[in-house]
Amino acid sequence: MARLQLRFSPRRIRLGSDGNQPLGGGEGDSTLFLVGRELCLFIALDAGKVPIKQRKAFAALAVRRAAPFPDPEFDVAWSAAGTAAIWYWSRARAEALAAAEPGRRKRFVAEALYAGMPQAQGVELLHYPTGFEARAWKDSQLAASRHWPGLPTPAQWREFLRGSSVAVGDVAVLPEARDAILARTPWSRQASSNGTLQLSGLDQYLPKATLGLGVLVLLIAGIELGCIARAQADIWRAQSAATRLDAPLQRILDARDATDRASEEITGLLSLHGLRPTTSLMAEVTRLMPGTDWQVQRWNQPTPDAVEIGLVAPGSNPEQLVSAWEESPMFKNVTTELGEENELVVKASIVPAPGLPEQAMP
């Protein structure tokens, strides 16, 4: 029976920037890929006011808005209060790393959900084979997470604490890093009483169990077909009844639908409120740019917590520019790329001003 369990269990492989690492598992034709923390970005999302059935779609929308690549895929840990800790990555990059690995069915999950354990309050530093991850916990919920390829400097640690919005008290000093040990199941999932399935002693019952399982599958299939037929009949009756509604009742329903749409539009417009005034951001850019031989070609804020600036800055050093912007209290996650006609495009996340509520940021 142990061999049977091994035969149908998925393989486990860690995808990392330094190569893929087998993690054991079974010998089935499916593979579970743990996307390394260094390949993921992070956002914390508050969906407490969103209906439970719509939270997954709400999280997917937030990831698409925050991702700097067009094909984001994500894994999420939900709390009872409706907050979410989300790690997301480029699906194309993950699939490219997993292309040479076995398995006809491939599933991708975040490595961070299998590393460490939840805490009630405070901050911690986890040591991965490819770097370090800082986590900030508040009321047993993960409020912030950040990864560095090496041990963070004091300035980087202070920046993380400042951006986490968690009262950290005496942990302003970099804590001792703990090894990130990967578990068999995510720490966000409620574990069973002993964490394992006892299969010993069932060998003699396997043929009968297989027959019983087949009968059960047929029974469930029949029940499902009956439910589908009944649901279709209910839908037909509901549609017939709707067509018989009189005009006044139909107008009431239309007015209610219009009200719901207007409420959603208002909520969307309120979510566009920026983290900082544009004038403050422009002033900070002027302070950070070296010299005077540069010019802003275009200014774009695709989301309230991100900015893209096209610059013409002859002779500028992108690495020095990124370092200077990262030290600013207004910007983080700064990247540069070369645009058309020697345009230097600077992309950065906007750090909320003191006193503003923390929004979802990687």
Side-chain angles (χ1 to χ4, degrees):
M1 204 64 183
R3 291 195 299 270
L4 184 64
Q5 182 185 17
L6 181 66
R7 173 65 181 85
F8 291 98
S9 297
R11 297 179 176 87
R12 286 161 51 95
I13 298 177
R14 180 188 185 275
L15 300 180
S17 57
D18 60 343
N20 299 341
Q21 176 187 359
L23 300 177
E27 300 174 353
D29 61 352
S30 62
T31 306
L32 181 68
F33 291 96
L34 275 64
V35 183
R37 181 62 182 88
E38 71 276 15
L39 303 179
C40 299
L41 297 175
F42 175 87
I43 59 174
L45 183 66
D46 185 3
K49 297 182 180 179
V50 179
I52 295 179
K53 293 183 179 180
Q54 301 178 12
R55 286 179 181 176
K56 184 176 180 180
F58 183 77
L61 177 60
V63 169
R64 287 197 299 270
R65 293 179 59 185
F69 30 77
D71 58 340
E73 190 173 50
F74 66 94
D75 207 352
V76 58
W78 290 100
S79 71
T83 61
I86 303 176
W87 291 266
Y88 60 97
W89 58 88
S90 169
R91 180 172 182 84
R93 185 180 183 186
E95 290 180 340
L97 293 174
E101 301 296 343
R104 290 187 302 174
R105 298 191 302 271
K106 300 180 179 181
R107 188 163 65 94
F108 299 88
V109 297
E111 177 193 33
L113 271 175
Y114 292 77
M117 291 296 294
Q119 297 187 13
Q121 200 79 14
V123 296
E124 62 177 341
L125 186 64
L126 298 180
H127 180 209
Y128 291 80
T130 56
F132 296 81
E133 180 192 25
R135 293 180 177 180
W137 298 88
K138 183 177 183 180
D139 299 330
S140 301
Q141 301 171 17
L142 185 59
S145 170
R146 189 164 184 179
H147 179 272
W148 297 277
L151 193 67
T153 64
Q156 291 173 329
W157 182 251
R158 288 193 300 269
E159 179 187 358
F160 170 75
L161 296 180
R162 184 171 62 248
S164 66
S165 72
V166 175
V168 295
D170 58 351
V171 295
V173 179
L174 188 69
E176 183 178 357
R178 296 186 294 104
D179 290 336
I181 300 176
L182 298 182
R184 297 290 300 178
T185 58
W187 48 258
S188 59
R189 181 186 304 169
Q190 181 68 32
S192 60
S193 58
N194 56 11
T196 59
L197 178 63
Q198 300 296 330
L199 298 176
S200 59
L202 298 180
D203 305 49
Q204 55 181 328
Y205 301 108
L206 182 59
K208 294 182 180 179
T210 304
L211 179 60
L213 181 61
V215 174
L216 181 60
V217 169
L218 292 177
L219 179 62
I220 293 176
I223 294 175
E224 289 295 330
L225 289 176
C227 292
I228 293 174
R230 182 176 179 178
Q232 291 295 334
D234 290 341
I235 293 174
W236 180 81
R237 285 194 293 267
Q239 290 176 343
S240 299
T243 57
R244 295 193 297 268
L245 290 176
D246 57 354
L249 181 57
Q250 187 63 49
R251 287 196 297 269
I252 293 175
L253 295 176
D254 292 341
R256 186 182 65 180
D257 292 339
T259 302
D260 292 340
R261 290 194 299 269
S263 177
E264 293 177 357
E265 292 178 0
I266 292 173
T267 302
L269 292 174
L270 291 176
S271 66
L272 297 178
H273 180 69
L275 299 178
R276 290 178 181 269
T278 303
T279 54
S280 299
L281 297 177
M282 289 182 175
E284 182 68 4
V285 170
T286 303
R287 185 184 70 83
L288 294 174
M289 290 300 296
T292 59
D293 189 16
W294 58 273
Q295 184 178 3
V296 175
Q297 293 290 96
R298 58 186 178 89
W299 183 287
N300 182 30
Q301 287 186 243
T303 62
D305 56 1
V307 65
E308 297 179 6
I309 306 173
L311 300 170
V312 175
S316 296
N317 187 324
E319 295 183 358
Q320 295 179 356
L321 194 63
V322 169
S323 298
W325 283 50
E326 286 284 356
E327 294 177 357
S328 169
M330 294 189 183
F331 301 108
K332 64 189 303 184
N333 301 327
V334 182
T335 60
T336 61
E337 60 184 42
L338 189 61
E340 298 179 357
E341 299 181 0
N342 294 327
E343 181 186 51
L344 182 63
V345 181
V346 181
K347 298 181 179 181
S349 300
I350 301 173
V351 178
L356 286 178
E358 179 72 12
Q359 297 187 7
M361 299 187 69

